[in-house]
């Protein structure tokens, strides 16, 4: 994933996380979802058109569509108020794909840090599936806080490291990323157990998600 695109993934994750915990209304987050979703569909399409059938380049671009379609789906649901079950089940599909991409990052691509990042995204998308697809509304706050925390861990911070040409990958860094992801999950459930800031409205729960 390109560093610029990754930076905006962090931005939209942050906004959608705030929406899930009830700090901003769903419709106010729709615009950024449309902007970033459109970007994450156009950019990989351009990359694939110029890839000269290179499987590695096409594979790298393919994962961007998972983000782009998710954000566009989110934006549409926020504007229309339509039920979110379809997005929830799509999130399960994305979670499965994220696990596969994460494994490939560890093996064929030899980028274990992004392997860990993709596995963290898989957990996040699976939580969206539980909230939207299976109506586990009690997980909404935890999902929101986890989204906020990993927006920085898996989006903003790696993006700036890439932009500054200071990104490094390896087994040790991947382990640190994985542990940090687990800590973020634990913190998210802790904050949710305290009910902070408050329970999201039923409309936000039905229309809010991200990845």
């Amino acid at each position: 994933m390109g560093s610029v695109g990754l930076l905006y993934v962090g931005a939209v994750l942050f906004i959608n996380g705030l929406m899930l915990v009830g700090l901003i209304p769903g419709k106010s987050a729709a615009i950024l979802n449309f902007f970033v979703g459109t970007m994450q569909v156009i950019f990989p399409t351009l990359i694939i058109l110029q890839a000269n059938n290179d499987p590695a380049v096409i594979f790298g671009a393919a994962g961007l569509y998972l983000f782009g379609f998710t954000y566009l789906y989110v934006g549409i649901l926020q504007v229309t108020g339509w039920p979110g079950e379809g997005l929830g089940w799509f999130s399960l599909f994305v979670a499965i794909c994220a696990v596969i991409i994460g494994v490939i990052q560890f093996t064929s691509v030899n980028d274990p840090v992004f392997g860990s990042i993709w596995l963290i995204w898989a957990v996040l998308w699976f939580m969206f599936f539980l909230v939207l697809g299976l109506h586990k509304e009690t997980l909404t706050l935890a999902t929101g806080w986890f989204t906020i925390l990993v927006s920085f861990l898996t989006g903003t911070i790696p993006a700036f490291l890439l932009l500054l040409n200071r990104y490094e990958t390896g087994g040790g860094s991947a382990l640190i990323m994985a542990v940090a992801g687990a800590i973020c999950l634990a913190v998210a459930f802790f904050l949710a157990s305290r009910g902070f800031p408050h329970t999201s409205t039923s409309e936000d729960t039905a229309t809010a998600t991200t990845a």
Side-chain angles (χ1 to χ4, degrees), residues 25-123:
K27 289 184 179 179
S28 70
I31 295 176
L32 186 61
N33 277 277
F34 282 125
F35 283 161
V36 179
T38 301
M39 180 179 69
Q40 299 286 27
V41 169
I42 293 177
F43 283 8
T45 300
L46 294 175
I47 292 172
I48 290 174
L49 289 175
Q50 302 176 50
N52 295 321
N53 293 322
D54 186 333
V57 175
I58 294 173
F59 171 76
L64 297 177
Y65 286 113
L66 297 173
F67 289 87
F69 290 143
T70 298
Y71 300 145
L72 291 176
Y73 207 151
V74 170
I76 291 171
L77 294 185
Q78 290 164 351
V79 170
T80 63
W82 292 341
E85 288 87 351
L87 179 56
W89 284 94
F90 175 68
S91 296
L92 176 61
F93 171 80
V94 176
I96 295 171
C97 291
V99 171
I100 296 172
I101 295 173
V103 172
I104 294 174
Q105 293 287 335
F106 278 109
T107 55
S108 300
V109 179
N110 195 28
D111 188 348
V113 169
F114 262 93
S116 293
I117 288 175
W118 274 101
L119 294 180
I120 293 171
W121 284 334
V123 173

Side-chain angles (χ1 to χ4, degrees), residues 143-156:
T143 302
W145 282 116
F146 188 53
T147 304
I148 292 170
L149 294 171
V150 301
S151 72
F152 294 98
L153 178 66
T154 66
T156 307

